[in-house]
Amino acid sequence: MYIKVPLFFMGVLATLLIAWVGLTLIPGVQISEVNPPDGLKPYTEQQLRGRSVYIREGCIYCHSQQTRPVGYGADQKRNWGRPSVPGDYFYDRPQLLGTMRTGPDLFNIGARQPSEDWHLIHLYNPRATSPGSIMPPYPWLFREEIHYSDEVLAARGDRVVPVSQEYVPEGKVIIATQDALDLTAYLIGLNHTYPVDGKE
């Protein structure tokens, strides 16, 4: 009995050590050898703030950021871009690959939708840009204010979102908060259309 107990704990420790080597140490060494592609730029400060908003709002629960090659789904038929490679995530800490695709993959959303207006309207009310969308709106990223005059809004530096009147409360205008602008900058920055190993 006195001999079996130490052996049991040694077995547990050995199992944990093997798991750590296989799941953490070896992948870490492999990733440390990956370099960023020439076309990949570090995030700006605003994009990093937007990335934090992306995480806070749980966007990863419905959107992935990884495109797959032919034979592993319909990504290429959907024109979502070349298959992603490890170097594409060089500046991502943590990586936001995602596994769910309730919404479309966002790996190249900045290339598919480069318009700031489009993203702001879409965040305020997805149905305003994408009829039938099941994505929830994010009204807390905006302010609904009385529309006094364009001069007042311009003097305050407010970013008015050009939402169709049918989605705006009567007499109001929609103002983007800094969180909405930062998140939009991050989404537009998701553009991995640069070539990698001769692939675009």
Side-chain angles (χ1 to χ4, degrees):
M1 181 66 182
Y2 293 110
I3 297 176
K4 289 181 179 179
V5 170
L7 282 176
F8 171 77
F9 284 107
M10 288 180 67
V12 171
L13 289 174
T15 301
L16 292 174
L17 179 62
I18 292 171
W20 177 78
V21 170
L23 299 175
T24 304
L25 181 62
I26 293 177
V29 171
Q30 291 174 325
I31 291 174
S32 69
E33 298 173 354
V34 173
N35 293 313
D38 290 340
L40 181 65
K41 305 299 180 190
Y43 293 112
T44 64
E45 288 187 15
Q46 184 180 28
Q47 288 171 338
L48 286 174
R49 292 198 303 270
R51 195 168 189 272
S52 296
V53 177
Y54 184 93
I55 294 171
R56 185 192 72 197
E57 299 297 339
C59 304
I60 192 173
Y61 296 118
C62 292
H63 294 281
S64 61
Q65 292 187 29
Q66 52 178 322
T67 46
R68 298 173 294 196
V70 174
Y72 291 88
D75 294 9
Q76 301 306 309
K77 291 182 180 178
R78 293 169 174 156
N79 295 317
W80 284 354
R82 62 163 173 77
S84 53
V85 297
D88 291 323
Y89 308 99
F90 185 82
Y91 298 112
D92 287 16
R93 296 290 185 280
Q95 288 81 17
L96 302 175
L97 301 180
T99 57
M100 295 297 292
R101 285 186 166 177
T102 306
D105 184 272
L106 300 181
F107 186 65
N108 282 309
I109 185 62
R112 299 199 305 271
Q113 293 291 352
S115 166
E116 184 179 78
D117 280 348
W118 187 92
H119 284 285
L120 291 172
I121 297 170
H122 188 246
L123 289 170
Y124 177 73
N125 190 328
R127 262 69 69 192
T129 58
S130 307
S133 172
I134 60 172
M135 176 174 153
Y138 291 80
W140 52 87
L141 297 178
F142 301 86
R143 302 193 315 268
E144 296 177 351
E145 295 192 359
I146 296 174
H147 187 189
Y148 293 110
S149 70
D150 292 339
E151 289 75 16
V152 171
L153 295 171
R156 296 193 319 197
D158 287 336
R159 175 65 163 86
V160 178
V161 183
V163 183
S164 175
Q165 285 302 309
E166 65 181 295
Y167 298 100
V168 180
E170 187 175 352
K172 299 287 185 68
V173 291
I174 308 303
I175 308 295
T177 65
Q178 190 60 52
D179 278 356
L181 294 171
D182 292 344
L183 177 55
T184 294
Y186 171 65
L187 293 172
I188 292 176
L190 294 177
N191 183 342
H192 300 88
T193 53
Y194 46 80
V196 174
D197 295 332
K199 299 177 181 178
E200 295 184 6

